[in-house]
Amino acid sequence: MTRQKRSVLSAIAVLVLSLLTGVGSASAGTLDVPPPGANDWGCKPAAERPYPVVLVPGTFENMAKNWSTLSPVLKNEGYCVFALNYGESNGIDASGPIEDSAAELASFVEAVLAATKATKVDIVGHSQGGMMPRYFMGFLGGAKKVHHLVGISPSNHGTEGLILPPPEGSPSEMLLFEPFCQACMDQEAGSAFLTKLNSIGDTVKGPAYTVISTVHDEVVTPYQSQFLSGSTAQVSNITLQNRCPLDPIEHDQTPNDPVVHQWVVNALAQADGPADPGFRPACL
């Protein structure tokens, strides 16, 4: 099957899914406000929390929805927390070309570093937002500006399934034109974008990497494709159910899972290196 035919079929499938499920993420401009605890541009990192945290939402998501629960948790832990929207295309957040979105992230990180006077940031991203920063780190000079990348259900090697349907209320005519969602095409397993991203390896020298995945992921599949290759000193690949077998969380809601929150806090608490794979969260 040609790439064009696959793209058309994907667009049709997304349309059908959107009609059937009515998934309701807000479009760009609807909730262009930060989640609780984020974007206090006067915040200065404390000595015990030296790296501000940048929250990067996933495809079709915005910062207000994606980080409504994790942002205040991190703020209460003493972090300076920042969040952004990016990649607006056809009125929908995080759907444009991922290379362009990485450039937007680069500019945002520069603004955070300038405001906080920090030397580096920690990045926590969901889905596309857990993978896209790797382009910033590997191709846009971001490696020296990032201390730790924590990916929650990240699309590091693409998906063999379908990205979630677009937000309710999206203009239906957008589905009639190619590309409907360049970010979706970029996240197809084997895409030109992912081939370039991973051509330099899964990691770059310097930052630590933590991947947090669920066996119930129905979007980035197979879920093991989210994992990164690297030494245990630099990379931790966490499967939630290895510690909490009954955790039912799926892709969309992973940023709201209290068990995920515990793993994120553990990862960010590491002075050097990724999350402690021996950590035992409280299972709910």
Side-chain angles (χ1 to χ4, degrees):
M1 183 181 295
T2 67
R3 184 178 183 84
Q4 183 178 10
K5 288 181 179 179
R6 288 202 311 272
S7 298
V8 172
L9 289 175
S10 293
I12 293 172
V14 169
L15 175 59
V16 172
L17 283 169
S18 65
L19 292 173
L20 290 175
T21 63
V23 172
S25 299
S27 62
T30 304
L31 284 176
D32 194 17
V33 295
N39 291 1
D40 173 4
W41 291 94
C43 186
K44 294 296 185 286
E48 62 273 18
R49 299 283 190 264
Y51 305 111
V53 179
V54 175
L55 302 175
V56 186
T59 306
F60 302 141
E61 294 284 7
N62 59 68
M63 57 182 166
K65 176 181 180 293
N66 221 160
W67 305 115
S68 62
T69 60
L70 181 58
S71 178
V73 167
L74 297 179
K75 184 68 172 180
N76 289 338
E77 289 287 329
Y79 291 96
C80 291
V81 181
F82 297 88
L84 77 158
N85 292 334
Y86 67 88
E88 180 184 346
S89 180
N90 297 306
I92 304 300
D93 287 312
S95 63
I98 295 180
E99 290 188 13
D100 295 346
S101 294
E104 291 185 52
L105 175 62
S107 297
F108 189 81
V109 168
E110 288 291 348
V112 170
L113 293 176
T116 61
K117 309 303 181 186
T119 58
K120 297 181 180 181
V121 300
D122 287 329
I123 296 178
V124 179
H126 174 227
S127 195
Q128 179 190 162
M131 171 274 291
M132 176 266 282
R134 293 179 50 226
Y135 191 90
F136 161 55
M137 294 156 66
F139 293 89
L140 302 179
K144 61 185 178 182
K145 301 170 185 177
V146 177
H147 170 252
H148 197 158
L149 171 61
V150 181
I152 302 172
S153 301
S155 50
N156 281 318
H157 298 98
T159 178
E160 296 179 4
L162 285 172
I163 301 299
L164 286 173
E168 185 177 9
S170 302
S172 59
E173 61 269 18
M174 66 189 281
L175 292 168
L176 301 178
F177 302 94
E178 292 291 337
F180 149 62
C181 169
Q182 184 62 50
C184 302
M185 296 169 65
D186 286 348
Q187 290 174 92
E188 291 179 0
S191 71
F193 170 79
L194 287 169
T195 299
K196 178 180 178 180
L197 174 67
N198 293 312
S199 66
I200 60 173
D202 284 5
T203 65
V204 293
K205 184 178 179 180
Y209 298 78
T210 295
V211 174
I212 303 171
S213 303
T214 172
V215 300
H216 302 300
D217 200 310
E218 79 289 19
V219 175
V220 180
T221 59
Y223 77 89
Q224 297 94 334
S225 69
Q226 301 168 21
F227 296 157
L228 296 172
S229 297
S231 71
T232 56
Q234 188 182 22
V235 177
S236 284
N237 292 307
I238 306 300
T239 302
L240 293 170
Q241 287 76 19
N242 285 350
R243 287 285 184 262
C244 298
L246 300 182
D247 190 337
I249 207 72
E250 40 67 51
H251 181 88
D252 183 58
Q253 290 302 309
T254 43
N256 298 318
D257 184 6
V259 178
V260 171
H261 294 178
Q262 294 174 66
W263 276 110
V264 172
V265 169
N266 176 270
L268 297 179
Q270 308 303 315
D272 292 294
D276 176 8
F279 174 64
R280 293 190 173 275
C283 301
L284 304 177

